[in-house]
Amino acid sequence: TIDVPAQFIAGKQDWGANRIAGGAAGAGKTGYTKFTGVQLVDRAGHWPQEEQPEIVSQYLIGFLKST
């Protein structure tokens, strides 16, 4: 298992993130003991940190403050 805080951030339009068993929403359902959730970034594909850097930064800062 992954036993540290973890969060899944992906572009909403990323075909890869949507091919995970159970969809992106199911990303942390198994294998994580401290999963904090899924953040899907609208108007972003495979590189949300480059396509929507402000939004990804907000998600990362919120995650870091909550752990």
Side-chain angles (χ1 to χ4, degrees), residues 3-66:
D3 300 317
V4 296
Q7 182 178 78
F8 184 81
I9 300 174
K12 193 178 263 186
Q13 285 73 38
D14 180 2
W15 67 270
N18 294 306
R19 295 177 61 93
I20 296 170
K29 292 193 177 183
T30 59
Y32 297 87
T33 60
K34 298 179 182 179
F35 191 72
T36 64
V38 174
Q39 301 291 346
L40 294 177
V41 181
D42 197 23
R43 297 181 321 248
H46 194 64
W47 299 100
Q49 71 277 12
E50 290 185 15
E51 298 168 32
Q52 298 293 335
E54 296 84 12
I55 296 170
V56 172
S57 293
Q58 289 173 3
Y59 288 146
L60 288 171
I61 290 167
F63 170 74
L64 293 170
K65 285 182 175 182
S66 71

